[in-house]
Amino acid sequence: MTFGFAPASAAASTSAASANRLLEPAEWAAAGIPLLRDPREVVSGLHARHHPQPATAVVAVLDPDERLRASASFVRRPAPADGWMFRNVLLAQLRRVIPHDLRRRTPVRTAVLLYCREGDARWTEEDGAWMWGLRDACTLHGLRCGAYITLTRDGWQVLGEGRGGRRPHSASAPEPFATSEAAPPLPRTGGAASEVLRRAAAAR
């Protein structure tokens, strides 16, 4: 790490970033964001459910077993990236789809954010504003702040963790939603029960 005085232009940039409320990657990594056990499954499930296009954000709430409890998607309005504005829109979406957990001493459920955008997978100030907004919205709704995931033409990436994949990506066709929530197989039983099941299937 290097210490020193920032030039005037850098100081102005830092001041502007502070005014816009964003988190740098190092700040995000130091915040102790819980790791997803299976980020590919989470990303694929949200992609199949919401079919995000560039400028679409998907906020989702997971239970302690990483099962999806609620989710909402919305298109980002063309305006300067501001964490405070992002916090407000994320909080509004969370309040719409799931009750708050403010009465709990310790958060149990976790909110994650998937943002589909143009460009490559490298961190941008827009990402930093989304990170700030997600963290603050989670605090105000009694949730744990979870992963921030970008979806670009390069694929998906969990920022701050270095984990990612090539599919899905921002231009890929969504997989059928049924594949992520397949019905349980029919029981393998013999005799009359099997015959009843076969007849029911044939009658459909």
Side-chain angles (χ1 to χ4, degrees), residues 4 11 30 50 94 107 124 129 132 139 142 166 172-173 182 187 194 197:
H50 291 280
L94 289 170
T124 66
W132 192 96
T139 299
R166 293 185 178 180
S172 62
S194 290
L197 290 173

Side-chain angles (χ1 to χ4, degrees), residues 1 4 21 52 60 62 78 86 88 101 118 124 133 135 152:
M1 179 177 288
R21 301 177 182 86
L62 310 177
F86 288 169
N88 289 345
D101 277 348
E118 302 287 359
T124 66
R135 186 184 65 175
T152 66

